[in-house]
């Protein structure tokens, strides 16, 4: 079986094509899935680059979608031929977050989906959205579910709310589509006027180039006539949090889901407290939330924004494209 692995020392250049034993047939409660698509996330890049340590020879990619080839005894949720998509936390089925970190996350603590086939518990997958191909389906596992949980599950987004999104990567483009689906008004930032133009085409109501407007939090605040936005999907981390707090309303909600500007930094606690802002750390979501997201996608007709797609054998090139920051939306991988 063909797989892609990451060698040592960690680097994009250390990604190589290798052969592994076929996983065989599924046991009780398991399914065998022929994998056909994935999408890249910052988390995957961090594993490949060594920013997140993992075992030598790790098979990367947390997102995976494909077709059920066979089912083990006792499996009734799936049948042969079903298109399925992986869960980021395969052991977190429902309820509140559980301890464990990333030790059971595919492509991190365990092998991921950059391979031809897998045999895993049926509970490590959900049905894919109807009509999605494998690459589109794989886009929901990490980025899509993160945006859904941030806005709908924990943010309790409702029609008429205002939302601020940072950048135009996978999470933010998903969040833009979800917010518009729910009847919200959306502001979005980018360093690229061309990307902001594309965001407008997806329904963004207000755009701001943060390279041209350093005090972009105030610009968003002014756009809301001084009231502030109801929700912020904060993917930057310490380098952007102060501006996000400036932009949010009193009693508003900030979903802290990214560390693109680093993992440590100053937090303007006085502003956070005086505005009584709810600052919530979010890491993807559970299987039940993914099933709810899939139902919403089935009834909405929205599809992920895919910047480009690479063959599995060109996975290193896909990561180089991600590292360049030039993409808009998701980067797909197909085989």
């Amino acid at each position: 079986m063909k797989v892609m692995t990451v060698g040592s020392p960690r680097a994009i250049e250390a990604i190589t094509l290798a052969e592994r034993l076929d996983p065989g047939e599924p046991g009780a409660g398991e399914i065998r899935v022929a994998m056909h698509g994935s999408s890249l996330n910052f988390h995957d890049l961090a594993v490949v680059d060594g920013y997140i340590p993992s075992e030598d020879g790790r098979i990367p990619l947390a997102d995976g979608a494909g077709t059920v080839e066979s089912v083990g005894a006792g499996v009734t949720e799936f049948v042969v031929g079903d298109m399925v998509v992986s869960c980021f936390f395969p052991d977190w089925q429902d309820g509140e977050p559980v301890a464990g970190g990333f030790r059971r996350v595919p492509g991190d603590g365990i092998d991921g989906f950059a391979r031809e086939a897998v045999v895993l518990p049926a509970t490590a997958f959900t049905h894919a959205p109807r009509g999605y191909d494998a690459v589109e389906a794989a886009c929901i596992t990490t980025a899509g579910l993160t945006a859904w949980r941030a806005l709908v599950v924990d943010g309790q987004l409702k029609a008429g709310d205002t939302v601020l999104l940072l950048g135009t990567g996978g999470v933010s483009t998903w969040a833009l589509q979800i917010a518009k689906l729910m009847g919200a008004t959306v502001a979005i930032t980018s360093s690229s006027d061309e990307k902001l133009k594309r965001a407008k085409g997806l329904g963004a109501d207000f755009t701001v180039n943060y390279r041209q407007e350093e005090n972009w939090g105030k610009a968003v605040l002014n756009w809301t006539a001084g009231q502030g936005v109801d929700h912020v999907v904060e993917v930057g981390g310490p380098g952007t949090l102060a501006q996000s707090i400036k932009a949010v309303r009193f009693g508003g909600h900030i979903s802290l889901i990214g560390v693109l500007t680093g993992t440590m930094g100053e937090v303007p606690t006085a502003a956070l407290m005086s505005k009584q802002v709810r600052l919530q750390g979010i890491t993807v979501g559970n299987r039940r939330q993914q099933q709810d997201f899939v139902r919403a996608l089935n009834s909405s007709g929205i599809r992920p924004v895919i910047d480009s797609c690479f063959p599995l054998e060109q996975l290193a090139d896909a990561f180089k494209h991600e590292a360049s920051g030039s993409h808009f939306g998701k980067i797909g991988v197909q085989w």
Side-chain angles (χ1 to χ4, degrees):
M1 178 182 69
K2 292 181 180 179
V3 305
M4 302 300 291
T5 65
V6 185
S8 180
R10 287 286 185 272
I12 292 175
E13 291 74 19
I15 298 174
T16 58
L17 179 66
E19 288 285 338
R20 293 279 179 91
L21 292 176
D22 186 273
E25 290 302 308
E30 296 179 329
I31 59 176
R32 178 186 169 101
V33 180
M35 306 307 302
H36 295 301
S38 184
S39 70
L40 303 189
N41 304 286
F42 178 77
H43 183 92
D44 299 308
L45 181 60
V47 171
V48 168
D49 272 345
Y51 185 72
I52 295 176
S54 63
E55 293 182 4
D56 288 347
R58 172 66 73 226
I59 299 174
L61 302 185
D63 300 349
T67 306
V68 176
E69 291 188 312
S70 54
V71 300
V75 175
T76 58
E77 186 175 357
F78 304 110
V79 298
V80 173
D82 280 348
M83 176 72 76
V84 295
V85 58
S86 62
C87 297
F88 187 86
F89 291 114
D91 302 325
W92 184 18
Q93 296 291 296
D94 201 356
E96 295 298 313
V98 294
F102 298 111
R103 62 183 179 82
R104 291 279 297 156
V105 170
D108 187 339
I110 60 176
D111 280 335
F113 294 104
R115 45 181 160 165
E116 291 183 305
V118 298
V119 171
L120 291 170
T123 53
F125 296 90
T126 70
H127 286 283
R130 287 193 298 268
Y132 275 33
D133 63 29
V135 172
E136 290 174 320
C139 292
I140 79 169
T141 294
T142 304
L145 183 55
T146 298
W148 174 260
R149 181 183 167 201
L151 291 176
V152 178
V153 179
D154 293 334
Q156 296 293 294
L157 181 71
K158 61 185 183 300
D161 281 358
T162 50
V163 176
L164 169 61
L165 307 174
L166 308 188
T168 54
V171 173
S172 295
T173 52
W174 266 120
L176 172 55
Q177 294 181 95
I178 292 168
K180 297 307 295 184
L181 175 68
M182 300 294 289
T185 303
V186 180
I188 193 166
T189 72
S190 175
S191 62
S192 164
D193 288 338
E194 177 59 32
K195 289 182 179 181
L196 291 176
K197 182 179 179 180
R198 295 182 66 182
K200 277 274 193 181
L202 289 173
D205 301 278
F206 178 74
T207 63
V208 57
N209 187 315
Y210 63 80
R211 294 211 185 277
Q212 298 172 10
E213 179 54 76
E214 291 185 7
N215 197 1
W216 49 266
K218 184 177 181 181
V220 174
L221 185 67
N222 291 340
W223 169 66
T224 63
Q227 181 177 348
V229 297
D230 298 295
H231 308 272
V232 181
V233 179
E234 168 56 80
V235 301
T240 54
L241 183 56
Q243 291 291 321
S244 292
I245 293 172
K246 187 175 295 186
V248 76
R249 69 167 171 84
F250 280 77
H253 178 231
I254 299 177
S255 298
L256 183 60
I257 64 172
V259 291
L260 296 179
T261 63
T263 57
M264 302 290 289
E266 294 184 5
V267 176
T269 52
L272 192 69
M273 292 169 60
S274 65
K275 277 194 163 184
Q276 302 183 58
V277 175
R278 179 159 62 102
L279 177 63
Q280 180 180 7
I282 287 180
T283 306
V284 197
N286 62 43
R287 184 173 188 258
R288 174 62 62 187
Q289 291 163 354
Q290 181 163 308
Q291 291 172 319
D292 291 341
F293 182 36
V294 170
R295 279 193 289 271
L297 293 173
N298 285 340
S299 65
S300 71
I302 65 174
R303 304 179 91 92
V305 177
I306 298 176
D307 172 271
S308 51
C309 207
F310 292 77
L312 182 62
E313 291 81 3
Q314 295 177 20
L315 184 58
D317 292 332
F319 275 116
K320 289 175 183 176
H321 183 48
E322 181 184 25
S324 75
S326 62
H327 59 288
F328 181 92
K330 296 291 292 178
I331 299 170
V333 184
Q334 62 183 357
W335 60 99

